[in-house]
Amino acid sequence: MPATFVVVPQWQGSGSSRAMRLVDGAEAIRGDLPSSSTTTVEIPLEAGDMQGTGVHRLSSLMLVRDRLAQALREVDGTAITIGGDCGVELAAISHAIQSPDVAVVWFDAHPDLNTPESSPSGAFTGMVLRTLMGEGVEQLVPATTLHHSRVVLAGARSFDPAEDAWIAEQGIRCIEASDVSAESLIAAVEATGAASIYLHIDLDVIDSSDFTGLGYPEPFGVSSAALLDTIKGLVAKFPLAGAGVTEFAPASVADSADDMPTILRIIGALSSAA
């Protein structure tokens, strides 16, 4: 069954001054997806309220989560979620891990493992993965949480001190950007004991010299060619439980054209496994 694309142009989870570019990025990607297998989740116009939690724009994040969760319940087969900021993965991964034995491979320059107490920004984009693991504000922690033994961080290279300490404490598997390959990631997933995979792809995992449309560019990342080869290797080895492509933030609609070939190759590799 062909993949279903669920486009979620959420910006409210971002802490970047370029956050609104995420809307343009999601719209640019949507324009190149097949309309017959693409649905869009409506995003609230308002920024949203913190509600005393330490998570900026919480009310809007909750609304988008609920709308995306409903959209995913209506999908037959594999869903590929297109962000927007990384916060869209809260609903997408919660949906995927309802099936047992799913490992989450988190391709991202940032581990997104802060809590409201440790976050230097209060932006949910930096708390998503920790919340999925059951540590975060009560309103966002999912009913079914992700165990740390089923997580593989790939290409992360910008850590806050609290994140670094928690990764070491939990023994989370990490593959450095220079070591990302099909072989290294297949071995890491096999070590989790999982039977299927969810691939989270924050586009800032790609080296900033190789991809320009980013809100949080980081040097010394994974080349786009290495990322594509790794994705192809993973989906050839493991069933795909779902995927997310997030954080495309082009400076303008016109500038999005430079990065779209890379994005479409990534989406093509993911959808071929659906």
Side-chain angles (χ1 to χ4, degrees):
M1 181 178 295
T4 296
F5 302 101
V6 185
V7 179
V8 193
Q10 175 178 282
W11 61 272
Q12 287 93 336
S14 177
S16 172
S17 60
R18 307 171 184 176
M20 293 304 296
R21 295 182 184 181
L22 295 168
V23 178
D24 291 337
E27 295 293 344
I29 296 172
R30 180 174 64 171
D32 279 323
L33 298 175
S35 58
S36 60
S37 54
T38 301
T39 186
T40 300
V41 172
E42 183 180 355
I43 302 303
L45 295 176
E46 63 273 13
D49 184 77
M50 186 186 297
Q51 299 186 352
T53 62
V55 177
H56 292 314
R57 306 170 183 141
L58 175 72
S59 59
S60 286
L61 295 171
M62 293 170 61
L63 182 59
V64 176
R65 175 203 58 192
D66 294 344
R67 288 176 178 174
L68 176 54
Q70 179 57 42
L72 291 169
R73 285 192 288 269
E74 297 171 3
V75 170
D76 291 325
T78 304
I80 298 175
T81 301
I82 306 294
D85 65 71
C86 285
V88 302
E89 294 286 39
L90 181 62
I93 292 177
S94 296
H95 176 79
I97 63 175
Q98 298 304 309
S99 299
D101 297 329
V102 178
V104 173
V105 181
W106 194 263
F107 286 102
D108 202 316
H110 313 88
D112 299 343
L113 286 170
N114 273 302
T115 64
E117 293 74 27
S118 69
S119 172
S121 68
F124 185 61
T125 190
M127 309 180 206
V128 185
L129 187 54
R130 187 75 168 264
T131 303
L132 282 161
M133 292 191 207
E135 296 190 26
V137 299
E138 180 182 357
Q139 297 95 317
L140 293 176
V141 170
T144 300
T145 57
L146 175 65
H147 197 271
H148 61 79
S149 66
R150 291 290 173 87
V151 174
V152 178
L153 296 177
R157 54 199 185 275
S158 178
F159 301 82
D160 291 323
E163 293 177 307
D164 225 355
W166 198 76
I167 288 167
E169 177 185 326
Q170 300 298 322
I172 295 174
R173 296 174 177 86
C174 299
I175 307 296
E176 294 185 5
S178 58
D179 295 328
V180 167
S181 67
E183 293 76 16
S184 65
L185 266 297
I186 288 171
V189 172
E190 287 178 335
T192 71
S196 61
I197 53 174
Y198 184 99
L199 299 184
H200 160 73
I201 301 162
D202 182 325
L203 292 164
D204 69 16
V205 75
I206 303 173
D207 190 85
S208 56
S209 67
D210 203 12
F211 193 95
T212 59
L214 300 171
Y216 295 98
E218 297 285 352
F220 310 115
V222 181
S223 72
S224 56
L227 177 61
L228 186 62
D229 287 345
T230 302
I231 292 169
K232 288 178 178 177
L234 283 167
V235 299
K237 178 71 174 180
F238 303 101
L240 187 66
V245 179
T246 68
E247 299 288 346
F248 183 36
S252 68
V253 174
D255 288 337
S256 68
D258 292 339
D259 293 321
M260 282 304 299
T262 296
I263 295 171
L264 294 177
R265 284 192 288 269
I266 290 169
I267 290 174
L270 294 170
S271 58
S272 69

